[in-house]
Amino acid sequence: MSAPAPRLILASASPRRLELLAQIGIVPDLVAPADIDETPGPTEQPRPYAERLACEKARTVASVHADAYVLAADTVVGVGRRILPKTEDEASARRCLDLLSGRAHRVFTGVCIIAPDARVSVRVVEARVKVKRLTQADINTYIASGEWHGKAGGYAIQGRASAFIPAIIGSYTAIVGLPLAETHAMLAGAGYVAASTL
């Protein structure tokens, strides 16, 4: 009897990433969020920050599950060199929306995969997002929805905030939280075969 195929572990608590993986027929065997310090360094910029967090999350989980494929990701919203927070209160959400209003910004999603043989694959996918000029009524209505809670940059492109975004350049799924084309290619390159394709 052949040995069972190595498991896939998603090192993220994000339900959006689970939903995105399901869209391409991938269902992780286990969801194991990594508990790491996500404080940006004093001079850290958005792209390297997204890459660092994805790698730290993957390594943390792989240290416990060395026999599995570990997939981790982190999404960061950047305005110039500035990293916008994952908003946890209305005041921070309003600050983010005020800052993003009427301008373009970048979203960076870092993806890190660690294979059972300890090979590491890392990629940062960048997308550009244009936000219309927001009125105070727009912001007040969005704040009242509560959708901003815990979201990088204070908004969720897959929800009500889609009404504020006339254009994107790049991967839509990366903005949501996981670039599917790139992640699928990385998993294949690492040797992972989804159970549904066996």
Side-chain angles (χ1 to χ4, degrees):
M1 192 169 76
S2 61
R7 298 181 303 159
L8 174 64
I9 298 176
L10 178 61
S12 172
S14 168
R16 295 175 300 284
R17 292 191 178 111
L18 267 179
E19 292 163 5
L20 287 167
L21 285 170
Q23 286 181 27
I24 57 173
I26 295 175
V27 179
D29 299 287
L30 179 68
V31 175
D35 183 17
I36 66 168
D37 180 3
E38 298 191 17
T39 306
T43 61
E44 198 163 25
Q45 295 184 35
R47 176 184 283 273
Y49 176 61
E51 179 175 337
R52 177 175 68 81
L53 289 189
C55 291
E56 286 187 7
K57 290 176 179 180
R59 289 190 189 103
T60 298
V61 173
S63 69
V64 181
H65 300 280
D67 59 342
Y69 289 93
V70 175
L71 166 61
D74 201 88
T75 301
V76 174
V77 173
V79 176
R81 299 163 65 91
R82 180 174 177 181
I83 296 167
L84 271 59
K86 290 183 172 74
T87 50
E88 300 296 340
D89 57 61
E90 289 190 9
S92 63
R94 283 185 186 278
R95 284 194 296 272
C96 285
L97 293 172
D98 282 335
L99 181 63
L100 297 176
S101 175
R103 68 191 299 176
H105 63 276
R106 298 182 189 277
V107 178
F108 303 90
T109 294
V111 181
C112 182
I113 294 169
I114 300 181
D117 62 5
R119 282 181 300 147
V120 179
S121 178
V122 185
R123 185 158 180 190
V124 178
V125 177
E126 175 184 337
R128 190 168 182 266
V129 182
K130 177 73 171 70
V131 179
K132 74 167 192 168
R133 188 167 298 283
L134 302 176
T135 66
Q136 280 307 304
D138 289 332
I139 293 175
N140 290 340
T141 300
Y142 192 69
I143 292 295
S145 76
E147 188 180 83
W148 49 268
H149 192 269
K151 303 296 192 299
Y155 75 93
I157 196 172
Q158 72 275 22
R160 297 183 185 208
S162 58
F164 305 153
I165 297 170
I168 68 168
I169 299 172
S171 168
Y172 171 79
T173 56
I175 301 167
V176 177
L178 190 69
L180 289 181
E182 293 84 354
T183 300
H184 186 270
M186 290 169 70
L187 283 168
Y192 174 73
V193 179
S196 61
T197 64
L198 292 175

